[in-house]
Amino acid sequence: MGLYGCFTAVRAASGRWLRQHPLCGAWGPQGSPGRSYAGGLPQTPPTFGFLFDIDGVLVRGHRAIPAALEAARKLVDSNGRLRMPVVFVTNAGNCAPQVKAQELSDFLGLQVEPEQVILSSSPLKFFSKFHKKRMLVSGQGPVVDHAWNLGFQNVVTVDELRQTFPVLDMVDLERRPKTMPPLKTDFPPIEGVLLLGEPVRWETSLQLIIDVLLSNGDPGTGLAVAPYPHLPVLISNMDLLWMAEAKMPRFGHGTFLLCLESIYRKITGKELKYAALVGKPNITTYQYAESLIRKQAERRAWGAPIRRLYAIGDNPVTDVYGANLYNRYLQKNRNGEVQECYEVVEEKQGSPTAERCLSILVRSGVYNPSLRQTETPFHGHRDFVFDPSLLEASHVVADVHEAVQLVFCKEGWDHI
């Protein structure tokens, strides 16, 4: 037995040397290829697809992770076309899919289409029963455009609400009104709240959202008793933390939600309830991702069904938890065993064809390998049950390049 480069090599009884791939453990003749497609399209259609997280996997802040550039080159053939279906699933949501697609194209040096990008808010387009309601929308960036693109036709921003009722925002002394404005009596009531991502002025957004909920959508008057159940609240992105250029993780929308939930419970003595909660790790997001994977395969006329999904991420409580939860769902545990608190919209996206969804955790982002996930505080959202088995990734690797190599090895797609 000996070493051949980074491979373990042994001589078989026939006298031929065999070598074992260090990532997936596959054995093959030394020097012989698996299916290698540098010269063109695969000889057989792909039966697997990739779900890539973005922050901490492909980019850190405004810079591409070097390993992502290596991985991107392996995803395409000599003509620059993807060898297999790929989607990018992020819990970010402060820009349009076409903007994120262009950013990824520039970062990775490959053509990413808007149809390949899933933002945390993307599945909200399927919750049509709320689309005609007058919604207070919170977030940052062009939130009105984002809401319209999702199908919401009547939205009011936090800033617009503050301008209509300036006496509601009283934390910042510099922004308090100098004179008392006349009371607005012709303001149409708000019928729901749409939270697309963390806002900039948390104190303003927290105050005005609570005001809307406590007043049943009419914050100019107020009510003696807060209504319960309260107005419908739809949210996207539950990430408590995320990884940018800083050495330590940054607050995410999940931190803002934690503040909102705590304030509402402290004031009312009741739990804040959500009518819809989307983004990883919710099953609906993975349903949507798989539907886009299937559509890519159909457009490319890849005849074989996509049977395996590989979800690559850096966050155990969103990427790993979500992929493992969806894997349970695919294993036909739809009789109440799957922990799923919110509406599953399978009828709007088609039945799944995938048989498995495997989670691959990379060490290039928020994940800290020195901490055992089962021994650290659970950073998942309140409405997702802590289940240690859902935090255990199918594989843990250094970075996304190693993750892609691992998948190719398992699928027999590259040189052993």
Side-chain angles (χ1 to χ4, degrees), residues 93-95 137-150 152 155-159 194-199:
N94 293 323
C95 67
V137 59
S138 170
Q140 56 182 289
V143 291
V144 173
D145 291 341
H146 297 340
W148 272 89
N149 290 336
L150 293 169
F152 295 91
V155 297
V156 179
T157 67
V158 170
D159 282 342
L194 178 63
L195 307 180
L196 296 180
E198 60 269 26

Side-chain angles (χ1 to χ4, degrees), residues 67-368:
L69 303 178
E70 293 292 328
R73 285 190 281 269
K74 287 185 174 289
L75 298 178
V76 297
D77 60 24
S78 59
N79 298 316
R81 303 187 74 191
L82 287 169
R83 300 176 178 180
M84 75 297 295
V86 171
V87 293
F88 301 90
V89 188
T90 176
N91 266 356
N94 293 323
C95 67
Q98 56 266 29
V99 174
K100 183 63 69 174
Q102 186 58 56
E103 288 180 357
L104 288 171
S105 298
D106 296 339
F107 280 136
L108 303 178
L110 55 81
Q111 185 60 43
V112 177
E113 302 295 337
E115 294 77 17
Q116 293 175 270
V117 175
I118 301 173
L119 305 176
S120 60
S121 59
S122 295
L124 287 173
K125 65 181 65 176
F126 298 107
F127 292 82
S128 56
K129 64 183 178 182
F130 300 104
H131 287 173
K132 293 184 179 180
K133 291 184 179 294
R134 183 170 167 83
M135 305 291 286
L136 175 67
V137 59
S138 170
Q140 56 182 289
V143 291
V144 173
D145 291 341
H146 297 340
W148 272 89
N149 290 336
L150 293 169
F152 295 91
Q153 303 165 22
N154 188 2
V155 297
V156 179
T157 67
V158 170
D159 282 342
E160 289 171 338
L161 184 63
R162 176 186 171 274
Q163 291 169 9
T164 303
F165 301 103
V167 296
L168 298 181
D169 185 21
M170 302 295 283
V171 173
D172 188 340
L173 298 178
E174 297 298 323
R175 300 218 303 175
R176 289 184 181 180
K178 307 303 180 185
T179 59
M180 289 298 294
L183 180 65
K184 295 282 185 179
T185 59
D186 58 348
F187 182 77
I190 291 171
E191 300 173 285
V193 179
L194 178 63
L195 307 180
L196 296 180
E198 60 269 26
V200 175
R201 282 184 169 268
W202 285 29
E203 78 283 359
T204 299
S205 293
L206 288 169
Q207 178 70 76
L208 270 62
I209 292 168
I210 291 291
D211 287 339
V212 165
L213 295 177
L214 297 184
S215 66
N216 205 33
D218 192 0
T221 59
L223 295 175
V225 179
Y228 199 83
H230 53 68
L231 294 174
V233 180
L234 288 69
I235 74 168
S236 67
N237 184 358
M238 297 157 271
D239 284 357
L240 186 75
L241 304 169
W242 67 288
M243 203 69 189
E245 292 95 341
K247 299 297 183 182
M248 298 175 64
R250 305 292 86 196
F251 290 160
H253 193 214
T255 307
F256 177 82
L257 297 177
L258 184 62
C259 296
L260 182 65
E261 293 157 6
S262 299
I263 294 170
Y264 184 86
R265 184 175 62 250
K266 192 69 172 179
I267 291 176
T268 67
K270 299 180 175 66
E271 292 289 338
L272 181 68
K273 300 293 185 181
Y274 298 113
L277 194 159
V278 297
K280 296 177 292 186
N282 189 277
I283 283 179
T284 302
T285 297
Y286 290 84
Q287 286 181 294
Y288 185 43
E290 188 188 348
S291 72
L292 296 186
I293 289 280
R294 289 197 305 270
K295 290 177 182 177
Q296 283 185 48
E298 292 168 2
R299 286 197 301 267
R300 292 289 297 274
W302 288 323
I306 303 301
R307 296 302 190 192
R308 289 168 302 285
L309 304 175
Y310 294 94
I312 303 174
D314 71 314
N315 193 329
V317 298
T318 53
D319 301 310
V320 173
Y321 190 111
N324 290 343
L325 187 64
Y326 192 57
N327 189 58
R328 282 190 185 179
Y329 179 74
L330 294 176
Q331 300 303 311
K332 311 302 182 184
N333 290 336
R334 304 181 192 182
N335 56 358
E337 297 177 37
V338 173
Q339 297 286 351
E340 175 61 35
C341 304
Y342 297 92
E343 179 180 357
V344 175
V345 290
E346 180 178 295
E347 68 277 4
K348 300 176 183 178
Q349 303 184 68
S351 299
T353 60
E355 297 172 349
R356 298 192 68 190
C357 181
L358 301 173
S359 55
I360 303 179
L361 181 64
V362 297
R363 296 190 291 267
S364 57
V366 73
Y367 170 59
N368 185 346

